[in-house]
Amino acid sequence: MRALLWLLLLPLSMASATEHWQQESYLANSFLTVALKREYQPGAMARLTRWEQPVRYFLVNESGDLSLQQEVVRVQLEHLSRITGVPVQPVSARESANLVIVMTRQAEIPRWAQTLMGQGHQVSAALGDGLCLGQFKVGKRGALSRASVLIPTDRARDKGRFLDCVVEEITQVMGLPNDSDQVFPSVFNDHSIDSFLSPLDYLLLRILYAPELKSGMDVKAVQKALPAVLARLRQEGEIDAAPLRVQAGSLKQWAGM
């Protein structure tokens, strides 16, 4: 009878086995895809880049509820700070910010893009393809120096994508800029149903800001360091606990969803 009971329970235990995104090989490939590849530079592999200084952010409000926008941005950035260890703080002047987030009407997005991002091919392509935009600039030793996020509040709300834009674009300017259908479940997948950070996204951020990595690393150096990073995260319980840990202080939790 005991043997029969064990056999009946076996499928349930197998069903609770490691998810595909918890496998080291999948995590490593996903990280290389979103951290080192670039959406508008097919085939190119960039160097690792991340914030090596506190993020000082300034919110520009030209459309929509200012108090709501301030709260949503605060929650998202504090959530990212908790995951990555990067300090974040609001500033009272755009000139003193290294991250500028603009909430405006769709008609004003091209003007802001030119002001904050320039007129390069990648910016033009992003304006044509996407709903919201994010861009960062790399400074000394490969670290992030400045970033900007543009969200057309009228169009984003019409499409029911306002919170999606806040989560995805602000997360990407932490140093994970690429979108890919091969990374799932993730806000970095344009065909994913995820509006908030997934457990996989949590782990990608934890990898990006791992002490074993540093800004300026090329793909070979990152590949060499990843096994040690993933082994440590596994030992610390981060990979197994990601579904719970990603929720702490999250915008999803704040929204009661």
Side-chain angles (χ1 to χ4, degrees):
M1 185 67 179
R2 288 182 180 179
L4 177 60
L5 179 62
W6 184 84
L7 288 172
L8 289 173
L9 291 176
L10 182 60
L12 179 62
S13 65
M14 291 176 66
S16 63
T18 302
E19 298 282 353
H20 73 278
W21 53 264
Q22 292 175 308
Q23 299 171 8
E24 280 84 349
S25 59
Y26 193 88
L27 284 167
N29 289 333
S30 296
F31 181 75
L32 293 172
T33 296
V34 298
L36 298 183
K37 291 186 178 181
R38 298 294 183 262
E39 187 171 3
Y40 298 105
Q41 295 175 297
M45 295 294 281
R47 290 179 179 268
L48 186 77
T49 188
R50 65 187 188 183
W51 292 101
E52 303 290 358
Q53 60 175 313
V55 172
R56 305 180 305 278
Y57 70 92
F58 181 78
L59 173 63
V60 176
N61 165 259
E62 292 185 337
S63 175
D65 187 329
L66 173 59
S67 61
L68 174 64
Q69 292 171 11
Q70 288 174 328
E71 184 67 3
V72 166
V73 168
R74 179 193 66 79
V75 172
Q76 178 62 17
L77 277 167
E78 289 184 358
H79 187 212
L80 291 169
S81 176
R82 185 177 292 108
I83 296 171
T84 64
V86 177
V88 300
Q89 63 182 49
V91 294
S92 57
R94 181 156 66 96
E95 294 73 22
S96 58
N98 54 20
L99 169 59
V100 177
I101 301 166
V102 179
M103 305 279 191
T104 189
R105 295 170 292 280
Q106 174 65 36
E108 300 299 323
I109 290 293
R111 174 176 65 85
W112 276 106
Q114 181 176 352
T115 299
L116 297 175
M117 302 177 177
Q119 295 180 304
H121 166 72
Q122 295 176 32
V123 174
S124 298
L127 284 171
D129 293 345
L131 173 62
C132 308
L133 289 80
Q135 184 198 62
F136 57 65
K137 296 181 180 179
V138 179
K140 295 180 179 180
R141 300 181 181 178
L144 295 179
S145 59
R146 298 187 65 81
S148 52
V149 169
L150 308 181
I151 299 177
T153 56
D154 51 354
R155 188 177 176 210
R157 289 189 183 282
D158 286 347
K159 292 182 174 292
R161 295 283 309 279
F162 175 70
L163 289 180
D164 301 50
C165 282
V166 171
V167 172
E168 180 179 354
E169 300 301 337
I170 295 179
T171 302
Q172 288 195 305
V173 298
M174 295 300 290
L176 298 173
N178 192 43
D179 289 326
S180 174
D181 292 346
Q182 305 304 313
V183 179
F184 181 85
S186 172
V187 297
F188 307 121
N189 185 325
D190 288 337
H191 296 97
S192 175
I193 60 173
D194 295 273
S195 298
F196 303 98
L197 294 183
S198 71
L200 173 57
D201 297 328
Y202 170 86
L203 291 171
L204 295 177
L205 286 164
R206 294 291 290 163
I207 295 169
L208 177 62
Y209 285 88
E212 295 90 345
L213 302 180
K214 62 182 180 180
S215 294
M217 278 184 162
D218 63 17
V219 61
K220 290 184 178 180
V222 172
Q223 287 175 320
K224 183 177 180 180
L226 278 178
V229 175
L230 293 170
R232 177 178 56 78
L233 291 177
R234 175 75 70 187
Q235 184 178 20
E236 293 173 352
E238 289 278 41
I239 296 176
D240 291 337
L244 291 177
R245 294 181 182 177
V246 71
Q247 301 301 332
S250 68
L251 197 54
K252 182 177 182 179
Q253 188 180 70
W254 172 85
M257 300 177 70

